[in-house]
Amino acid sequence: PNMDDAFHVPQAQAYCQGRFLQWDPMITTLPGLYLVSVGIVKPAAWLFGWTGSVVCSAGMFINLLFTAGNLYLLYLLLFKIHQKNKAVSDFQRILSTLTLATFPALYFFTFLYYTDPGSVFFTLFAYLMCLYGNHKTSALLGFCGFMFRQTNIVWTVFCAGNIAAEKLSEAWKTELQKKKDEKNFSRKGSFSDLFRILKFLIEYLVSPKNLVTLTALTWPYIILVIMFFVFVFINGGIVVGDRSSHEACLHFPQLFYFLSFTVFFSFPHLLTPTKIRKFFLSLQKHPVMYSLTAVISLFLIWKFTYVHKYLLADNRHYTFYVWRKIFQRHELVKYVLVPVYMFAGWSFVDTLKSKSIFWILMYFVCLLAVTVPQKLLEFRYFILPFLIYRLNIPFPSLYRQLLELAFYTVVNAVTIYIFLNKTFQWPNSNEIQRFMW
């Protein structure tokens, strides 16, 4: 067992041995991983005739199964989301599937007993069922995802938001046709365009008829969200175990960290000479908007930057070195990075321009909900928002896809090599420590 494995493995073994009332107070997530593990291991033990300690051994293969499932789900999602794009070949879909399945921040945890592969599996499965209109099944799978990680309730809201965004887009098109000014409207345009959209959104959502229609379509998700609030009320918070280390706060710079993380892992698509040139043209065209964005960003960094004790103390995680080597170099570094964040944000939104404005708004609401309340800078929190973003951007060229896959392969090889071979010890402990995400 390594790091959190030391909590997860004994807990799973306790469940496997029938001790369902035993709970480690250091575990913060619900027992989905352990319940699914036991639900698979016990029938497998009966089928293969396993006996003794091997039945509940630490070498559980559950995350290998989840990773295989994620591979298949990613292919199905890419096929469904881009089914209208006839220019995309089967080879490109398979290549993109392999790339996303080997996304380093997720792939690494295939080989540890962590909640991430299962959390991603049930959330992606719920998203797929939502896209196919099987909303009761989607909500049930969303509940399974919630049992792996409580913050996955946000992606249940995202599935409901997909339905709402679709209805809003239809109504918006009708509105534009009525006024016959579709040609005068630019989705990427000015504040006046944004104001018109927000005005329409409010008018649509305050209509009882529209609310009844949306409720009738999204009721399975609404029930799940109500169950979530009941759980929070009874539990006294969202965290199950160690609450002192997982306090919610308004950590707005988490959005900037996520955007930078996305640019790093999607650089073949986001960090191109063409995009950089387009960004500078956009700067020249909308100087007031970017100036205002910069001022707001500086204010949010100034007032809402938090540094979790784990980030400063735990030198086994890469985030420890990112923080020390970049952000702790000088007090002003976090402000100097604002132009980088602005480019990352612009490039991020630019790749989503094929989606409707309501889908983009809905996704950003979910993105804020899943990242901002987290005090700890932890790359694992970015896995699901990244994958959902990456699934929804247009297919890049074959060259860029191959470059992305090669980059992920190198990163995976390096991180696994470091984890296995570059071990170290703390002065006050005899245990072997390893570097990891």
Side-chain angles (χ1 to χ4, degrees), residues 150-166:
Q150 292 91 304
T151 51
N152 284 344
I153 195 68
V154 172
W155 302 112
T156 295
V157 175
F158 172 80
C159 288
N162 265 275
I163 303 167
E166 196 175 320

Side-chain angles (χ1 to χ4, degrees), residues 75-76 130 135 153 177 199 229 232 240 266 300-301 303 313 316 323 336 377 408:
Y75 178 81
L76 294 175
C130 170
H135 300 301
I153 195 68
Q177 283 167 359
K199 182 171 176 285
F229 283 115
V232 171
V240 176
S266 295
L300 293 175
I301 291 167
K303 285 293 184 183
R316 294 169 295 182
W323 193 261
V336 172
L377 171 58
Y408 285 6

Side-chain angles (χ1 to χ4, degrees), residues 113-218:
Y113 193 66
Y114 274 56
T115 58
D116 300 270
S119 167
V120 169
F121 175 81
F122 284 111
T123 304
L124 292 182
F125 204 170
Y127 183 30
L128 182 68
M129 290 298 99
C130 170
L131 293 178
Y132 276 102
N134 299 328
H135 300 301
K136 283 179 277 197
T137 306
S138 177
L140 182 61
L141 291 163
F143 173 75
C144 295
F146 167 72
M147 288 295 289
F148 273 70
R149 184 165 290 162
Q150 292 91 304
T151 51
N152 284 344
I153 195 68
V154 172
W155 302 112
T156 295
V157 175
F158 172 80
C159 288
N162 265 275
I163 303 167
E166 196 175 320
K167 290 294 175 187
L168 283 162
S169 295
E170 290 170 6
W172 178 241
K173 284 176 185 173
T174 306
E175 180 79 8
L176 291 176
Q177 283 167 359
K178 278 182 190 174
K179 296 183 178 179
K180 296 181 180 178
D181 60 355
E182 192 168 3
K183 290 179 182 176
N184 298 325
F185 175 78
S186 168
R187 187 174 59 192
K188 298 177 288 181
S190 61
F191 284 115
S192 62
D193 289 335
L194 184 61
F195 177 76
R196 285 175 59 198
I197 291 168
L198 292 174
K199 182 171 176 285
F200 164 78
L201 189 59
I202 292 165
E203 288 173 355
Y204 185 92
L205 294 176
V206 295
S207 163
K209 182 185 173 184
N210 293 333
L211 286 176
V212 168
T213 302
L214 288 176
T215 303
L217 290 168
T218 60

